Amino acid sequence: MKTICLYFEIHQIIHLKRYRFFDIGTDHYYYDDYENERSISDIAERSYMPALNTLLDMIRDNGKYFKVAFSLSGTGIEQLELHAPQVLDKLQELNETGCVEFLAEPYSHGLSSLANEETFALDVKKQCAKIEEYFGKKPTVLRNSSLIYSDDIGGQVAAMGFKGMLTEGAKHVLGWKSPHYVYNCNIAPNLKLLLRDVELSDDISLRFANSDWAGYPLFADTYINTIASLPQEEQIINIFMELSALGIAQPLSSNILEFLRALPTCAKDKGITFATPTEICKMTKSVGSLDVPDTLSWVDEERDVSCWLGNAMQREAFNKLYSVADRVRIANDPRINQDWDYLQASNNFRFMTTKPSNVGLDRGIYSDPFDAFTNYMNILGDFINRVNSLYPDDIDNDELNSLLTTIKNQGDEIEMKDKEIIRLKTKLEKLEAADEKSKATAKKSAAKKPAVKKPAAKKAVKEEAKD
């Protein structure tokens, strides 16, 4: 029986403002608040809300048959909290149906998996905590930024305790193999890999409204027939895309949501089911390991990381940023941490790319890659100065870690002693209250006790004595 795994990613770019060299040291706020509010509100109205309403209707119409998965970057959640909380409310409503799974991913939607293992682990852990806070369940499957994966990254993800991971079904990795099976990590056999079907996913997310495409117009029954006609032994069909594909990349006027709404009915007629990534990892055995020595992603024709790190500018910015990764992690300053999350976002490096792409790239305020590089490096210069001003750069990481550990331990000890003082004070107050109560009870009892009458014999003796 064939099974479709349908997954959508939600992430929002944090737009940086125009930041000049002379702002370094004087302006520590780096963001274009107007553009951030405008863009997330626009996407929520044109894409997220209509798409989520449609998916909720599909679940209600099909019961437990239809299932879907999402992942949200932490920075994306922050933007939704500020400017489009209705999207989070709708996701919680979807979660209550029991037909939705939420996956883990780096909080920053950054490239930490390519730079710093500990930073990557903390990035993922932070996002997992946010997902659990909103949806009540800790993720068990991870989706790295832009499906970035390699054997080494798979090993890191397995060490974090995840059971599965999504990645790209790239032809240069698969060779003669099919993406329609479950594989496992080459160096961590317990980590199962679900591979995106590039053609079937891009038919919806990239080509659906393109009237010059040979497959246009695409109908739901045609799409499902294509899946049903796959070899019998190829049973797992992973369709992964950004949620913004529904309404932004493919406008609502293209009837993209009507197409989506018809998929469950057409699939049911062909005996095809839907399942979440965790369900597939549990019910399907791996057919073998996948050898991925070089890093792959779901971006551009090369399906690698060259769109972020393909030129000297990008690599310089990347190396400069992660040169302070350990200090940021050790220092753990709230304001620094927030800027760190936003500056890690992969789009900052994407704007600096000089390579051509089949997918249009909107650079926002930047006129070209060099403009993007200059603006980012000005901001990064100020950020690194702030990190070093918190903890002077003449203190090495080991010394800083030791110093902050000592401070933390002293703080914990003081906190523990304060709690003990409060506990003893409370105990003393209770004892004093009990003592006062005991005295009051004794006094009250004495007041109520009747006077003792003297015996008659003793009274007679006293009278005789008087005579």
Side-chain angles (χ1 to χ4, degrees):
M1 181 181 293
K2 287 180 169 51
T3 299
I4 295 174
C5 179
L6 185 61
Y7 154 79
F8 296 99
E9 192 241 351
I10 299 175
H11 168 63
Q12 179 61 23
I13 290 174
I14 305 296
H15 295 274
L16 302 178
K17 70 181 182 182
R18 180 63 68 181
Y19 194 93
R20 306 189 185 280
F21 177 80
F22 298 105
D23 294 325
I24 298 174
T26 61
D27 183 2
H28 304 315
Y29 192 77
Y30 312 135
Y31 315 107
D32 186 340
D33 290 335
Y34 172 80
E35 182 57 24
N36 284 326
E37 180 176 2
R38 186 207 64 79
S39 59
I40 188 67
S41 300
D42 180 60
I43 293 174
E45 180 181 352
R46 292 168 55 202
S47 171
Y48 292 168
M49 290 305 294
L52 293 176
N53 281 323
T54 298
L55 290 167
L56 183 59
D57 289 343
M58 291 165 68
I59 291 174
R60 288 172 174 167
D61 292 344
N62 294 279
K64 298 294 181 180
Y65 169 75
F66 177 72
K67 297 179 181 180
V68 64
F70 298 93
S71 74
L72 296 87
S73 67
T75 54
I77 292 175
E78 288 183 15
Q79 290 299 295
L80 292 172
E81 289 172 335
L82 286 172
H83 307 304
Q86 70 273 20
V87 175
L88 292 171
D89 292 340
K90 186 60 64 175
L91 286 167
Q92 288 175 321
E93 193 176 348
L94 277 157
N95 183 52
E96 290 169 2
T97 65
C99 297
V100 175
E101 179 180 359
F102 291 91
L103 311 185
E105 71 166 81
Y107 190 96
S108 66
H109 198 269
L111 307 174
S112 55
S113 60
L114 304 175
N116 189 295
E117 188 171 336
E118 290 185 72
T119 298
F120 177 49
L122 285 175
D123 212 5
V124 171
K125 183 179 179 182
K126 185 176 179 180
Q127 189 263 0
C128 287
K130 196 79 170 176
I131 292 295
E132 191 170 8
E133 174 190 336
Y134 267 99
F135 306 113
K137 193 172 182 181
K138 187 176 180 180
T140 59
V141 173
L142 182 135
R143 179 260 190 205
N144 199 7
S145 307
S146 300
L147 297 189
I148 291 174
Y149 177 80
S150 69
D151 291 336
D152 290 338
I153 293 172
Q156 295 175 40
V157 171
M160 295 180 207
F162 290 100
K163 305 302 180 186
M165 186 172 180
L166 311 188
T167 190
E168 181 77 337
K171 291 180 180 178
H172 71 276
V173 171
L174 285 170
W176 57 268
K177 296 178 181 177
S178 166
H180 304 139
Y181 296 93
V182 173
Y183 296 90
N184 62 264
C185 175
N186 195 29
I187 63 174
N190 290 333
L191 182 74
K192 292 183 176 179
L193 302 177
L194 304 185
L195 307 186
R196 174 178 178 261
D197 185 305
V198 177
E199 293 299 321
L200 289 171
S201 299
D202 288 353
D203 282 350
I204 299 175
S205 63
L206 296 183
R207 294 184 281 268
F208 185 83
N210 181 6
S211 58
D212 294 330
W213 172 44
Y216 179 87
L218 180 63
F219 295 103
D221 56 351
T222 305
Y223 189 79
I224 293 298
N225 285 339
T226 301
I227 294 174
S229 65
L230 292 169
Q232 184 177 357
E233 62 274 13
E234 297 185 15
Q235 297 191 355
I236 305 299
I237 295 84
N238 299 308
I239 301 170
F240 306 159
M241 69 192 77
E242 296 177 356
L243 186 62
S244 60
L246 310 179
I248 303 298
Q250 308 305 320
L252 298 182
S253 59
S254 68
N255 293 323
I256 185 70
L257 296 184
E258 287 69 21
F259 166 84
L260 189 71
R261 194 187 298 272
L263 288 179
T265 300
C266 295
K268 190 179 292 185
D269 290 343
K270 293 293 183 178
I272 299 171
T273 62
F274 289 83
T276 63
T278 292
E279 288 176 337
I280 291 175
C281 288
K282 286 182 178 179
M283 70 182 186
T284 309
K285 292 182 179 180
S286 168
V287 296
S289 62
L290 195 67
D291 186 17
V292 190
D294 300 318
T295 310
L296 64 87
S297 77
W298 71 357
V299 179
D300 292 346
E301 287 297 321
E302 297 85 353
R303 300 292 195 260
D304 58 14
V305 296
S306 59
C307 65
W308 304 289
L309 300 175
N311 63 47
M313 293 185 299
Q314 293 171 308
R315 291 190 292 273
E316 181 180 346
F318 178 82
N319 293 333
K320 190 75 172 177
L321 174 68
Y322 284 101
S323 69
V324 294
D326 290 333
R327 298 181 72 79
V328 171
R329 175 176 49 80
I330 293 167
N332 196 27
D333 179 83
R335 180 60 192 277
I336 291 292
N337 287 345
Q338 184 180 54
D339 291 336
W340 174 247
D341 289 336
Y342 295 165
L343 293 178
Q344 281 191 87
S346 62
N347 58 275
N348 293 313
F349 303 95
R350 176 80 160 147
F351 293 150
M352 303 175 200
T353 186
T354 52
K355 60 178 290 192
S357 173
N358 293 334
V359 181
L361 175 61
D362 181 4
R363 298 184 199 270
I365 63 171
Y366 306 125
S367 57
D368 54 47
F370 309 100
D371 186 27
F373 172 73
T374 301
N375 200 69
Y376 183 80
M377 292 303 284
N378 286 340
I379 291 173
L380 189 55
D382 183 78
F383 175 75
I384 292 176
N385 286 343
R386 288 168 54 210
V387 173
N388 290 336
S389 68
L390 273 177
Y391 305 101
D393 56 2
D394 58 352
I395 302 176
D396 62 32
N397 288 340
D398 290 339
E399 188 178 354
L400 175 60
N401 192 23
S402 176
L403 176 63
L404 292 179
T405 300
T406 300
I407 293 172
K408 183 180 183 302
N409 290 341
Q410 289 175 343
D412 291 343
E413 188 176 348
I414 291 171
E415 184 180 357
M416 191 167 61
K417 287 181 177 179
D418 287 343
K419 288 180 179 179
E420 181 65 13
I421 290 170
I422 293 172
R423 188 185 69 81
L424 292 173
K425 281 184 177 180
T426 303
K427 186 176 181 180
L428 181 61
E429 288 171 358
K430 287 182 179 179
L431 289 172
E432 288 176 346
D435 186 55
E436 289 295 326
K437 185 177 180 181
S438 178
K439 288 180 179 179
T441 302
K443 188 175 181 181
K444 192 174 181 181
S445 298
K448 289 183 178 180
K449 192 174 182 180
V452 180
K453 294 183 179 181
K454 294 181 180 180
K458 289 185 177 181
K459 187 176 180 182
V461 170
K462 287 183 177 180
E463 288 176 354
E464 287 178 1
K466 288 179 180 180
D467 294 337

